[in-house]
Amino acid sequence: DAGVTQSPTHLIKTRGQQVTLRCSPKSGHDTVSWYQQALGQGPQFIFQYYEEEERQRGNFPDRFSGHQFPNYSSELNVNALLLGDSALYLCASSPVLTSTDTQYFGPGTRLTVL
Amino acid sequence: QQQVKQSPQSLIVQKGGISIINCAYENTAFDYFPWYQQFPGKGPALLIAIRPDVSEKKEGRFTISFNKSAKQFSLHIMDSQPGDSATYFCAARDNYGQNFVFGPGTRLSVLP
């Protein structure tokens, strides 16, 4: 049973560019959350998707947007990249919206903004 | 009020020793307190978790102690092993939003 998968593994962009990160949840999971983990810090909640809608959002600007597809996979889009957006972006999935106890994280996408 | 504080920032323990990591929170709406273990290049993995109606939970060498009145909880790793060397994050989930607030992490090094 494949766990949470994310692509790409690493990505290098320059300031002002746009980036799209992808996530496939664990089989049987329909809720996807995205986190940003800056170097040496804990993950920070960006937003959560369920039934193709954004359900919760953390303290991130509108430059961060997402999407969930009918097969529960998800994308994270970041526009107008800033140097401070350099981080590990983690995707986490859980079985149902109201049961995030069993939240599984993917390996992350390392984004470097030059 | 959404912050979770964690200490120490780093910890060095001899093999066989006890590792203790402490966390504190302010938001009384938090209803679930997991600990995650993260190895370099990997995503965080759930290690053990506790709810506020329980004061202690033990799973193998890992124990969570929870003090609801003090709004503090801690992770104890008994008989620490070099393979336990990783970064540990405490977290808290609010009972409304179902999203998690993480502490800043503790880098544990267990010396052989």
Side-chain angles (χ1 to χ4, degrees), chain B:
Chain B
Q1 196 179 20
Q2 279 290 92
Q3 193 177 19
V4 174
K5 298 179 180 179
Q6 183 174 349
S7 63
Q9 186 176 8
S10 63
L11 182 60
I12 299 175
V13 174
Q14 292 287 339
K15 178 182 177 182
I18 302 174
S19 303
I20 302 174
I21 305 171
N22 301 297
C23 284
Y25 64 98
E26 289 295 326
N27 190 349
T28 56
F30 289 147
D31 71 341
Y32 179 67
F33 301 86
W35 284 88
Y36 285 86
Q37 179 188 57
Q38 186 176 30
F39 293 104
K42 304 288 187 181
L46 179 63
L47 192 62
I48 186 172
I50 197 167
R51 296 188 182 278
D53 54 346
V54 177
S55 61
E56 185 176 282
K57 183 175 182 179
K58 183 177 180 179
E59 289 183 2
R61 296 185 294 110
F62 303 92
T63 300
I64 299 179
S65 296
F66 190 86
N67 186 330
K68 186 174 181 178
S69 61
K71 299 180 191 171
Q72 296 175 348
F73 58 111
S74 61
L75 174 69
H76 290 64
I77 305 175
M78 311 299 290
D79 188 26
S80 298
Q81 299 297 312
D84 296 331
S85 296
T87 300
Y88 292 81
F89 296 97
C90 61
R93 183 191 66 192
D94 71 80
N95 57 13
Y96 173 72
Q98 292 288 314
N99 61 68
F100 291 78
V101 178
F102 283 78
T106 295
R107 178 174 289 185
L108 172 65
S109 297
V110 181
L111 303 179

Side-chain angles (χ1 to χ4, degrees), chain A residues 40-72:
Chain A
Q41 297 182 23
Q44 280 196 297
F45 176 74
I46 302 175
F47 43 54
Q48 181 184 72
Y49 277 84
Y50 173 70
E51 291 189 335
E52 301 179 49
E53 289 188 12
E54 181 182 296
R55 300 291 177 162
Q56 295 286 332
R57 188 178 183 92
N59 189 26
F60 279 81
D62 292 345
R63 298 187 298 108
F64 290 77
S65 64
H67 188 77
Q68 185 179 35
F69 299 93
N71 67 353
Y72 309 124

